[in-house]
Amino acid sequence: MPLTPEQRAEIDASRLTPSQTSRPTVPALEAILFTPTELLDHGFVRVVDYMGDDGAIVQAARVSYGRGTKKVSEDTGLIRYLMRHRHSTPFEMCEIKFHVKLPVFVARQWIRHRMANVNEYSARYSILDREFYLPDPQQVSAQSVSNRQGRAGALSPEKAAEVLDLLRQDAARCYDHYETMLDPEGYGLARELARMNLTLNTYTQWYWKIDLHNLLHFLSLRADSHAQYEIRVYAEAMLDILRAWVPITAQAFEDYRLGAFTFSSGMMSVLRRQLAGETVLQSESGLSKREWDEMQAALSRG
Amino acid sequence: MPLTPEQRAEIDASRLTPSQTSRPTVPALEAILFTPTELLDHGFVRVVDYMGDDGAIVQAARVSYGRGTKKVSEDTGLIRYLMRHRHSTPFEMCEIKFHVKLPVFVARQWIRHRMANVNEYSARYSILDREFYLPDPQQVSAQSVSNRQGRAGALSPEKAAEVLDLLRQDAARCYDHYETMLDPEGYGLARELARMNLTLNTYTQWYWKIDLHNLLHFLSLRADSHAQYEIRVYAEAMLDILRAWVPITAQAFEDYRLGAFTFSSGMMSVLRRQLAGETVLQSESGLSKREWDEMQAALSRG
Amino acid sequence: MPLTPEQRAEIDASRLTPSQTSRPTVPALEAILFTPTELLDHGFVRVVDYMGDDGAIVQAARVSYGRGTKKVSEDTGLIRYLMRHRHSTPFEMCEIKFHVKLPVFVARQWIRHRMANVNEYSARYSILDREFYLPDPQQVSAQSVSNRQGRAGALSPEKAAEVLDLLRQDAARCYDHYETMLDPEGYGLARELARMNLTLNTYTQWYWKIDLHNLLHFLSLRADSHAQYEIRVYAEAMLDILRAWVPITAQAFEDYRLGAFTFSSGMMSVLRRQLAGETVLQSESGLSKREWDEMQAALSRG
Amino acid sequence: MPLTPEQRAEIDASRLTPSQTSRPTVPALEAILFTPTELLDHGFVRVVDYMGDDGAIVQAARVSYGRGTKKVSEDTGLIRYLMRHRHSTPFEMCEIKFHVKLPVFVARQWIRHRMANVNEYSARYSILDREFYLPDPQQVSAQSVSNRQGRAGALSPEKAAEVLDLLRQDAARCYDHYETMLDPEGYGLARELARMNLTLNTYTQWYWKIDLHNLLHFLSLRADSHAQYEIRVYAEAMLDILRAWVPITAQAFEDYRLGAFTFSSGMMSVLRRQLAGETVLQSESGLSKREWDEMQAALSRG
């Protein structure tokens, strides 16, 4: 249960008094504004504010005086053209602000995307809640052998349960001692020091604001199958939000980025030979085994 | 007259249909949304969109669930504290988007502020209008002798008129030939080439989006007396917009940044001696002549 | 003749006194350090400083204590893997600094790449030289009809000569009046004002420093056939410099980026059908005419 | 003991073979290149590479052809002018690359400085060492009452010892279980999951590259008395490195930034009254109690 009744009440209060605005407004996004999408065991992502819509991209690309929308079909064509040819600046003209609750080890991956604005809850200034991430048993997975930075299948239910016991007990004991050290009647240790005793699955939270171009870049990396599951679930939730916010852009993004595959100059040579009817073997393709496999996987995905 | 009737009609059409939104909304900014503030002879700046308000800064600084506003006095205190101690991230949580029309030589200064998003009208793709900046006669100023990158007083009315004639004739002739070279019935030269014949006072326009922290940085440099007059008028117009948008932040900015002065460690030593009643001469101050003058100027400004 | 004897002497003096360093050093780049590659009629690009080499990328990717180089073949494999999978951070660990002389209208395109450091020669502070770009007659090209932001074939020699006359005369006259207005014995106009009379083909110069990741991004856009010729010649010269500096990275870049083509999800479907032996028509491909043509062009390029 | 003999051997090997270079070279920095400055109980910072020197700042500011150095006194004057007037771009023309070993909770503060390049040791890909930060007993401090994000004096030696026992035992147990979970003969848990059991005082390491302007900004915040002790020791070590690398810039930085104090417009009014001989009370100063105290503290520091 990620949200307390008090937090829900605070969120609900935000929604009570809509205002009039002349700004571009997206009803489908207004409908989910402030509402948390719950993730993992205690996490969430929710939209706190946004600027712009599909039309704002067109408007900026044309540097126009008015809303710039002529026909939906023309706007769609332009947005798809901009996406296909990797024009980035018109997409930078939309902005979105999220409130995210996430485990610290996920936050450490996430923050590597520098082209965003962040305000994180400060454990120097405040005390973190007793909340830490424990994976679903099906997510308690073995180290992959083929991929040094990936995971293979789930451990057996018994082993998973034992691992979860270790994680739970260590996180709980560390948090207990965090409280012990902080207790003003006891040690009264400085918060900026006590926090170092917490485990990396402790939840933190932040406000995170990013423009649409950089959000798409984030999603292309983090909604990808190579991303760690625990950050991918956030990216996938944000992909749903994207579809509500800028549906034309979201569709273009899925067609030209998420579902796309880049062929190297060597792969292009192989492809040309194959399309000409030639049977090409890896050994005579000029591609490394790894590249060959990546190409075959992309072509067979269907 | 910077705007044609068609452009005005386009702008007016944007305002016709306000929407309902649950986002933070600033009535004083809605009132001037889309409306150009006219500047120089053909320029303008107008707000096209915005995200956040004073409350959003507080909300982000507290990473809160709701609007986060307790009492106005507390919010004011927090914003002033953040400004005084140069906390930048909460101010990054607000964003504003402008449409600006400005001479090319001003655009070249402006673009040096990299932490912003820009879509400029493309002279590769489109044809620029016949509009070039000619200063007011009072702004036709002599080179400063003391400041290599500044201007002194205005030229005499006669000399100013002659200078303006040169500027007007050269810009007009260059534009005439730009049209001659572009004419599809004549040379039909590529737009991307023909544009090189235009003078640097030709007007261009762009959409420019920036977060509040970086906007304040821009304003602190460009609303300053050392900035060139032709960019300063834009900064001053944006300072008025700032006051409408985030009045508490704008006041803190004027108190702690625009009206502030930084004393170096050497100046602090002098100050301490002076406050202790000592009369300090420049020659025995440890400050260079230039630093001494800067300090005296700041103290006498009143 | 882009360089005066005085400038050449200054450059030559830089090279006289090599120092000892323990930093990664690239002999092939040292050999061309400071030497301008001359471009267009008055432009140049030259390397002023650099940090890192191919090995530094490997070292950073491994966060290693020493130079990190095991075998060249392993390093090559790692760099190619990083390039193929768009890992950006290890490439950010190399840095290069250029001194570039270029026409203002090219500088305006160039500066849009924000992830770089720039110091431009200041026309507020100093007086620009009488140098403006006049294209080679073969580059005086007609506007493309099919591509709104491109050029078609060259104008006839007669028309090109007339266009060049217009460009030359206008630039010269504007520069004459720039001098007239600046003359301290005459108008003595402020430099920051007088410069607005110059045409956009006037040469400027700057120091430009960028990390290798962002340099590759710049080159992928500006060494491309869609880039305007006048910026492309700079990008191509920098590509040669890249090959001298980081040869393994340069080769990977050409294989996986410059020579690559990205197939959208729709194109991938078509490709799978074609490889299965089916003949696919554009009308039944699900691709727009434009996408279809782009795909066919990529496949036939060979 | 932060470095193993193997790591020392790797570092020593880097230094064996100096090369000839025509690049700006700083003997005082070459002398400490690669050598770790040891910090905290297992941390270090060491310079891995650098670009530029004091002269390079002058050279860029002048956009000059040669080294640009005329007289040392002129260069010093220019650098001090640039620092005093907050010109940032010439300082961006120098770059430095560090290898840093630091506790995760320090890394989380540090990474908030986005204008830098980072390659961190990956705990998805590799296994972290059994090293965690335990403060010196004198640094085991109580929570400050007056400053919510600061610490007060040290706990009693007995209490400090008990706190250190808790920290040591929890970190050790968590690391033991990390190994248990990773063991390929046992659970064989994926590294990307097992790492979440580690405590926030675990050491990580990274390559961190930054330009001189942004380094000064980092140091102005992190070498400050308000910074947490555990990051301040790194900043102070880097300040020593700065003095070796760019001595003129370092001195200007200490005079105009570190030792400087900014008076708000309200403080300036008070100052003017005081210098005119008036006795001003806080109650009639127009300053808040907090601002008044900050001003008095700055003036009495001397």
Side-chain angles (χ1 to χ4, degrees), chain B:
Chain B
M1 191 204 62
L3 289 165
T4 63
E6 290 72 27
Q7 289 161 353
R8 291 212 171 274
E10 269 201 87
I11 290 172
D12 290 343
S14 313
R15 215 180 337 241
L16 282 181
T17 50
S19 313
Q20 292 274 314
T21 187
S22 299
R23 291 173 289 171
T25 300
V26 181
L29 194 55
E30 293 281 337
I32 56 171
L33 208 59
F34 309 133
T35 308
T37 302
E38 305 192 0
L39 294 164
L40 304 181
D41 47 355
H42 298 284
F44 63 73
V45 56
R46 64 191 193 101
V47 181
V48 168
D49 206 345
Y50 69 94
M51 173 194 276
D53 58 6
D54 277 322
I57 297 162
V58 171
Q59 189 184 23
R62 293 187 178 137
V63 195
S64 57
Y65 282 80
R67 283 302 322 268
T69 315
K70 298 180 183 177
K71 292 184 197 162
V72 170
S73 66
E74 282 185 30
D75 283 8
T76 302
L78 178 55
I79 287 175
R80 292 179 71 83
Y81 174 87
L82 295 170
M83 182 72 70
R84 201 160 68 243
H85 291 272
R86 293 193 163 255
H87 286 246
S88 55
T89 57
F91 296 106
E92 294 174 10
M93 287 290 154
C94 295
E95 190 92 13
I96 193 162
K97 182 159 49 175
F98 296 101
H99 179 190
V100 190
K101 190 169 161 195
L102 70 180
V104 168
F105 73 94
V106 174
R108 299 227 309 130
Q109 289 192 320
W110 192 308
I111 198 84
R112 298 304 323 283
H113 296 266
R114 288 162 295 178
M115 296 296 103
N117 309 116
V118 188
N119 268 280
E120 186 173 353
Y121 188 85
S122 169
R124 272 188 93 188
Y125 189 86
S126 307
I127 298 173
L128 286 169
D129 289 331
R130 176 191 283 273
E131 287 176 320
F132 27 85
Y133 170 60
L134 294 175
D136 268 349
Q138 310 91 290
Q139 287 299 333
V140 181
S141 310
Q143 173 63 36
S144 165
V145 180
S146 60
N147 177 1
R148 279 202 62 167
Q149 52 182 341
R151 53 174 97 164
L155 300 190
S156 69
E158 298 71 33
K159 284 192 166 180
E162 289 167 27
V163 161
L164 286 168
D165 276 347
L166 288 176
L167 291 170
R168 185 182 303 108
Q169 289 163 15
D170 282 351
R173 186 185 303 103
C174 285
Y175 192 88
D176 288 343
H177 292 157
Y178 171 65
E179 285 191 316
T180 302
M181 293 186 283
L182 285 176
D183 183 4
E185 310 296 308
Y187 296 109
L189 189 68
R191 284 184 284 272
E192 68 178 24
L193 288 169
R195 61 174 166 170
M196 81 173 80
N197 202 54
L198 296 172
T199 48
L200 281 158
N201 54 353
T202 307
Y203 273 89
T204 183
Q205 50 180 296
W206 60 33
Y207 270 56
W208 191 68
K209 174 172 150 288
I210 193 164
D211 69 54
L212 176 54
H213 166 66
N214 281 293
L215 176 62
L216 296 180
H217 184 66
F218 177 88
L219 294 181
S220 72
L221 292 173
R222 301 306 182 179
D224 185 88
S225 62
H226 293 88
Q228 181 165 352
Y229 168 79
E230 281 76 17
I231 196 167
R232 203 165 68 230
V233 291
Y234 287 87
E236 285 166 356
M238 291 157 86
L239 202 47
D240 282 338
I241 289 167
L242 186 80
R243 291 183 192 111
W245 179 27
V246 282
I248 299 173
T249 299
Q251 185 61 52
F253 174 65
E254 295 188 64
D255 291 345
Y256 298 125
R257 301 281 293 278
L258 281 194
F261 185 79
T262 297
F263 287 72
S264 67
S265 64
M267 290 177 184
M268 289 298 284
S269 300
V270 171
L271 208 52
R272 287 185 199 107
R273 289 161 65 189
Q274 289 180 325
L275 287 170
E278 190 181 338
T279 301
V280 185
L281 299 176
Q282 185 256 317
S283 57
E284 55 181 29
S285 67
L287 303 180
S288 71
K289 178 75 174 67
R290 188 154 196 169
E291 283 182 83
W292 177 266
D293 290 346
E294 287 173 7
M295 179 175 170
Q296 299 315 316
L299 285 171
S300 63
R301 223 171 275 156

Side-chain angles (χ1 to χ4, degrees), chain D residues 146-160:
Chain D
S146 60
N147 177 0
R148 280 201 62 167
Q149 52 183 339
R151 53 174 98 164
L155 300 190
S156 70
E158 298 72 33
K159 285 193 164 178

Side-chain angles (χ1 to χ4, degrees), chain C residues 10 46 48 97 99 119-122 125 206-207, chain D residues 24 51-83 87-94 212 246-249 252:
Chain C
E10 270 200 87
R46 65 191 193 101
V48 168
K97 183 159 48 176
H99 180 189
N119 269 278
E120 185 172 354
Y121 187 85
S122 168
Y125 189 84
W206 60 35
Y207 270 55
Chain D
M51 173 195 275
D53 58 5
D54 277 323
I57 297 161
V58 171
Q59 188 184 22
R62 293 187 179 137
V63 194
S64 58
Y65 282 80
R67 285 302 322 269
T69 315
K70 298 181 182 176
K71 293 184 196 160
V72 172
S73 66
E74 282 184 29
D75 284 7
T76 303
L78 178 55
I79 287 175
R80 293 179 71 83
Y81 174 86
L82 295 170
M83 182 72 70
H87 285 245
S88 54
T89 57
F91 297 105
E92 293 174 11
M93 287 291 153
C94 294
L212 177 53
V246 281
I248 299 172
T249 299

Side-chain angles (χ1 to χ4, degrees), chain A residues 13 26 59 61 68 84 131 170 173 184-185 196 217 227 237 266 274:
Chain A
V26 181
Q59 188 184 23
R84 201 160 69 243
E131 286 177 321
D170 283 351
R173 187 184 302 104
E185 308 297 310
M196 80 172 82
H217 184 66
Q274 289 180 326

Side-chain angles (χ1 to χ4, degrees), chain D residues 240-260:
Chain D
D240 281 338
I241 290 167
L242 186 79
R243 290 183 192 110
W245 178 28
V246 281
I248 299 172
T249 299
Q251 186 60 53
F253 174 65
E254 296 188 64
D255 292 345
Y256 298 125
R257 302 280 293 278
L258 281 194

